[in-house]
Amino acid sequence: EVFKNSFDAYADIAIADFIRRNRLLVLRDDGIGMTRKEFDERWLVLGTESKLLAADALDLKRAAVDPDKSLRPVLGEKGIGRLAIAAIGPQVLVMTRAKRPARSSLVVALVNWSLFECPGVNLDEIDIPVREFPHGTFPSSDDIGAMVGTLRANVHRVRHQIGAAGSRILSELDLFTIDPMQLDEVLGEPSLRGDGHGLQFVIRPADPSLADGIDKPEGGRATPSLTRVLIGFSNTMTPGHADPPLKTVFNDRASTPQVPNDLIAEGKFWTPEDFDLADHTFRGGFDEFGQFKGEVSIYGHSPEPWDCPWKGAAGKKTECGPFRITTAHVQGRQRESRLGPEDWSEVNAKLADLGGLYIYRDGVRILPYGTADYDFIGIELKRSKGAGFHFFSYRRLFGSIEIRSADNPQLQEKAGREGFRENLAYRQFTDILSGFFDGLARE
């Protein structure tokens, strides 16, 4: 969710740095950032501009755009990104500098989410210390200490209302010993010093589940759960893919802060080279009537054109709209594959871990599609009923389905990022894909 917010902020790069020994997570981007007014009216207000295109009558200010870049569709909504920050840890230092106007001040705020959980406290009794640092200046550890002191005083003021929670919150504040200058020197770019712009979150202490999601893969998997969620954020897997608008990085600084290990680097995900190795590849597009036109390559032979009609169209345009697919299949037995034993073993291990069909909207992944245990088309169910006819196995496939906000507005995500709403457009979408794989199997 935070990466999607960075996409909305026209960032070129978004980086998460997890410094384990300090239970410290830093999220940084080089987006357009926020002025003090924008920070007060946007980040500190749980709301969304995602529905403005459909509700022009609302007297609300639209999100800022970067005039130096192509217009991006808005991916974040409902304030989920801010709630995600609260889920990662109980307190966060927010630092942001706007790209425009030039030489903007640095806005710094400290939020302790635990105060908002106390049932006996009204919102107007909670302080959120916000300070501005003129261009050319940067907060020191003393400045952050003063902001922590403001929150500590706030806790003492409402102590009679929050009872035992007060001691826990004070303990959390005691942990927040941060030196932004030192942290900036260790982490490097993107930086908010000098003319740097963008948004940074410094979260401490990070929730223990963060480390668990990195270290504890489920049975038989090589890639942990958190990594599998974050990997492939942008579509870099297909041959000839466009340059991703946003590069994402998750640095696990487990040994020392100075030694990063990017858990979601492009090379650890599916690559165009993997498609070149695969036994069979299929690519093409479905038009607004659900009809497929594309090409297939079997055992590495020259691609041949292939069309697949969808019987459900009945001459009417689909609700789901046109979309594209690029996918590959690898045989389940090495002796039936054109891959050598070593290549087959490597790709087979990757399939067990990262196999499946990934869905990308405007080049950005939609969750939870793309894992071997989320067969949203029901390919494995069909295969279990008749493997002789239903050739494909979802566990042997990898690839991408590409949709666009402009072409597929009726494919709507659920609020909790649990996939698409199961409306008519989604039912058509899955029926078209199911028919596509049935047709390929017959062919």
Side-chain angles (χ1 to χ4, degrees):
E1 295 303 328
V2 181
F3 284 168
K4 283 187 175 182
N5 287 169
S6 295
F7 177 94
D8 292 342
Y10 291 83
D12 293 320
I13 188 168
I15 302 178
D17 289 283
F18 184 33
I19 303 175
R20 293 203 186 206
R21 69 183 186 190
N22 296 330
R23 289 183 62 190
L24 175 67
L25 182 73
V26 184
L27 296 151
R28 303 172 288 149
D29 71 34
D30 61 351
I32 55 176
M34 290 177 280
T35 63
R36 172 63 185 271
K37 186 173 187 294
E38 290 169 336
F39 179 77
D40 288 343
E41 295 180 356
R42 288 193 174 277
W43 201 87
L44 289 181
V45 176
L46 289 180
T48 175
E49 57 275 342
S50 63
K51 291 182 170 58
L52 282 181
L53 294 179
D56 290 334
L58 292 177
D59 186 20
L60 295 173
K61 184 179 179 182
R62 295 179 186 274
V65 300
D66 190 336
D68 300 330
K69 297 180 180 177
S70 301
L71 188 67
R72 295 183 184 179
V74 177
L75 299 183
E77 64 174 338
K78 300 182 186 297
I80 294 175
R82 279 154 288 190
L83 297 176
I85 293 292
I88 295 170
Q91 52 198 3
V92 58
L93 182 72
V94 187
M95 300 193 296
T96 182
R97 190 195 309 278
K99 183 177 180 179
R100 286 184 174 79
R103 304 178 68 82
S104 293
S105 297
L106 178 68
V107 181
V108 180
L110 181 61
V111 182
N112 183 287
W113 303 106
S114 298
L115 276 166
F116 293 88
E117 298 172 0
C118 298
V121 180
N122 294 323
L123 288 177
D124 59 3
E125 295 179 282
I126 298 175
D127 284 337
I128 299 179
V130 183
R131 293 186 57 182
E132 288 188 75
F133 294 83
H135 186 273
T137 63
F138 203 71
S140 65
S141 58
D142 289 341
D143 293 318
I144 305 306
M147 298 175 79
V148 170
T150 299
L151 285 178
R152 189 176 282 112
N154 190 182
V155 174
H156 286 298
R157 255 194 333 271
V158 297
R159 190 69 182 267
H160 65 286
Q161 298 165 250
I162 60 179
S167 298
R168 174 172 56 85
I169 296 171
L170 289 173
S171 297
E172 291 170 353
L173 291 170
D174 289 341
L175 291 173
F176 210 82
T177 53
I178 303 294
D179 186 341
M181 288 187 178
Q182 183 183 35
L183 200 57
D184 186 82
E185 290 170 358
V186 170
L187 301 181
E189 297 294 334
S191 169
L192 292 177
R193 297 174 74 173
D195 292 324
H197 53 83
L199 180 62
Q200 295 188 8
F201 301 104
V202 182
I203 303 167
R204 186 179 187 186
D207 191 282
S209 63
L210 190 65
D212 292 342
I214 294 172
D215 291 337
K216 296 181 179 178
E218 296 82 357
R221 291 188 180 276
T223 304
S225 57
L226 178 62
T227 306
R228 285 190 289 113
V229 168
L230 296 179
I231 202 166
F233 178 84
S234 297
N235 186 7
T236 58
M237 66 159 73
T238 55
H241 65 77
D243 290 335
L246 176 69
K247 176 180 173 58
T248 55
V249 176
F250 191 104
N251 287 326
D252 179 20
R253 298 174 183 264
S255 52
T256 64
Q258 290 78 13
V259 183
N261 172 28
D262 183 3
L263 300 178
I264 58 173
E266 285 185 17
K268 297 179 181 180
F269 188 51
W270 294 109
T271 67
E273 290 72 26
D274 292 322
F275 278 85
D276 293 337
L277 283 174
D279 288 315
H280 322 300
T281 56
F282 320 99
R283 69 188 73 188
F286 300 86
D287 64 18
E288 62 268 33
F289 297 96
Q291 315 304 316
F292 175 82
K293 289 185 180 295
E295 59 185 28
V296 301
S297 172
I298 307 301
Y299 281 119
H301 292 173
S302 297
E304 298 182 15
W306 185 66
D307 298 349
C308 181
W310 180 56
K311 296 179 181 179
K316 297 180 180 179
K317 291 185 178 181
T318 61
E319 289 289 313
C320 61
F323 58 95
R324 296 191 59 79
I325 187 171
T326 305
T327 187
H329 185 275
V330 176
Q331 294 292 130
R333 297 184 179 91
Q334 193 274 320
R335 66 176 183 271
E336 298 174 354
S337 173
R338 73 187 184 104
L339 280 71
E342 186 176 339
D343 283 339
W344 184 87
S345 294
E346 289 182 5
V347 173
N348 197 52
K350 215 167 183 179
L351 279 167
D353 215 31
L354 300 171
L357 293 175
Y358 293 72
I359 300 180
Y360 290 90
R361 188 195 295 275
D362 302 306
V364 174
R365 182 182 171 188
I366 296 176
L367 294 175
Y369 308 102
T371 54
D373 53 0
Y374 199 77
D375 179 12
F376 64 99
I377 310 173
I379 292 176
E380 288 299 327
L381 178 62
K382 289 183 178 180
R383 184 171 175 81
S384 68
K385 295 179 179 179
F389 177 77
H390 295 287
F391 169 79
F392 292 100
S393 167
Y394 195 77
R395 295 188 295 267
R396 311 303 305 170
L397 286 168
F398 64 94
S400 69
I401 298 167
E402 299 171 87
I403 65 175
R404 300 173 65 244
S405 296
D407 295 334
N408 316 99
Q410 296 306 313
L411 289 175
Q412 301 166 352
E413 290 180 74
K414 298 177 184 177
R417 307 303 186 194
E418 301 161 328
F420 290 121
R421 297 180 185 277
E422 296 186 10
N423 56 14
L424 175 60
Y426 179 73
R427 293 196 297 272
Q428 289 179 340
F429 180 67
T430 54
D431 191 50
I432 289 168
L433 287 167
S434 179
F436 168 78
F437 284 104
D438 287 348
L440 276 174
R442 285 194 300 270
E443 191 77 5

